[in-house]
Amino acid sequence: MARIIVVTSGKGGVGKTTSSAAIASGLALAGHKTAVIDFDIGLRNLDLILGCERRVVYDFVNVLNGEASLQQALIKDKRSENLFILPASQTRDKDALTMEGVQQVLSELDQLGFEFVICDSPAGIEHGAMMALYFADEAIITTNPEVSSVRDSDRILGILDAKSKRAEKGLEPVKQHLLITRYNPSRVDAGEMLSVDDILEILNIPLLGVIPESQSVLNASNKGVPVVFEEQADAGQAYQDAVARLVGEDKPMRYVKAEKKSLLKRIFGG
């Protein structure tokens, strides 16, 4: 059975789509057949970050409406033979998503032998987000180290526990993972950001990864290349670590402590 994983948060702009692209790409690079679906109907962005925007012919809603087959709409990534993208529609309304239609697409992906289906959720709790959440086996709660972002993520945890298919059917709860993005240990030490421990105390779910605040994320997105391919970048390495943990590997948590300045730097500044 495919593992259906939603990448979600309560707040917009926390890095869900960047994380969806990086995690899906990382899984594919590790040899896992992976599909990533953009649930943000009307505001398509996943294809841009994955660099396949010019190759979109059919989209998620075309498949739901029977205007194209799933195989016609899936875009094979040029960098990894194991990664396929199902883009959102830019011109349709979020109400185009139906329970029956989404269930059918997920079932087809399972039948096609996909090991992972990553669902890139819109922000908040509107229709597209609820559809992405409903069918999830696992959820990656993506949050920035700020109070409003963490509070909104806590709301999403409540929805997962109450309104997912697993909750409705009385099945084992949706497995929850915490991904902290745009983390800067120096700003934490300065009291400008919540610490990892602060966030864990509030949300109380297992930590999947900490992605450092990094220019490499923006650079990669602008180039249409998921940052996980930037092997020398700290953010790329952090996403690689998160992917490894997702498939059961034990990896130490990097980029959570501020670097100590050397004696020379403390004397001469810098």
Side-chain angles (χ1 to χ4, degrees):
M1 293 287 289
R3 285 170 66 179
I4 300 171
I5 304 177
V6 63
V7 180
T8 183
S9 74
K11 195 170 185 290
V14 300
K16 285 185 302 299
T17 300
T18 296
S19 297
S20 295
I23 289 168
S25 297
L27 288 166
L29 285 171
H32 302 284
K33 189 176 182 182
T34 304
V36 57
I37 305 175
D38 191 345
F39 274 80
D40 202 356
I41 308 300
L43 293 171
R44 185 170 80 204
N45 281 312
L46 182 65
D47 55 312
L48 285 171
I49 291 177
L50 285 160
C52 63
E53 69 278 6
R54 295 181 182 178
R55 299 169 58 206
V56 176
V57 178
Y58 295 110
D59 58 49
F60 195 2
V61 176
N62 290 138
V63 177
L64 295 177
N65 290 344
E67 297 157 354
S69 69
L70 179 59
Q71 285 93 333
Q72 284 178 298
L74 285 172
I75 301 168
K76 188 174 183 179
D77 186 72
K78 289 183 176 179
R79 292 169 293 261
S80 173
E81 63 179 7
N82 293 312
L83 180 62
F84 294 79
I85 302 101
L86 182 57
S89 170
Q90 281 185 305
T91 58
R92 308 293 181 96
D93 188 83
K94 290 177 171 59
D95 290 335
L97 296 178
T98 64
M99 287 279 191
E100 298 77 13
V102 174
Q103 175 73 77
Q104 179 61 34
V105 167
L106 294 174
S107 296
E108 274 194 62
L109 289 169
D110 187 44
Q111 290 163 16
L112 289 170
F114 282 92
E115 296 174 65
F116 289 90
V117 178
I118 306 299
C119 302
D120 179 25
S121 171
I125 53 173
E126 45 74 42
H127 185 69
M130 295 302 289
M131 283 289 174
L133 288 170
Y134 183 77
F135 293 100
D137 299 314
E138 303 177 46
I140 296 175
I141 311 299
T142 310
T143 188
N144 292 158
E146 57 182 56
V147 173
S148 62
S149 180
V150 175
R151 182 184 64 183
D152 289 350
S153 291
D154 199 29
R155 175 87 191 278
I156 294 297
L157 291 175
I159 292 171
L160 284 166
D161 288 338
K163 294 190 175 181
S164 66
K165 182 179 179 181
R166 286 179 167 271
E168 283 187 4
K169 303 289 185 185
L171 302 173
E172 190 176 333
V174 175
K175 188 175 182 180
Q176 298 163 354
H177 311 272
L178 175 62
L179 184 70
I180 302 171
T181 54
R182 297 177 187 155
Y183 192 77
N184 186 324
S186 297
R187 292 181 65 189
V188 172
D189 289 350
E192 298 171 1
M193 281 184 173
L194 295 174
S195 70
V196 170
D197 288 341
D198 291 333
I199 299 168
L200 287 171
E201 186 174 341
I202 296 166
L203 297 181
N204 194 31
I205 59 175
L207 182 61
L208 180 69
V210 177
I211 311 302
E213 192 172 47
S214 174
Q215 183 64 33
S216 62
V217 175
L218 180 60
N219 293 344
S221 294
N222 286 337
K223 290 189 293 185
V225 179
V227 71
V228 74
F229 285 97
E230 304 284 342
E231 294 184 1
Q232 302 307 312
D234 50 3
Q237 293 168 0
Y239 274 116
Q240 289 170 4
D241 289 350
V243 168
R245 294 185 196 103
L246 196 60
V247 297
E249 291 183 38
D250 186 20
K251 288 277 185 179
M253 203 67 64
R254 296 189 274 181
Y255 311 115
V256 295
K257 293 182 180 178
E259 291 183 14
K260 300 293 184 185
K261 284 190 175 181
S262 70
L263 180 60
L264 288 176
K265 281 189 176 179
R266 277 185 278 158
I267 293 172
F268 296 108

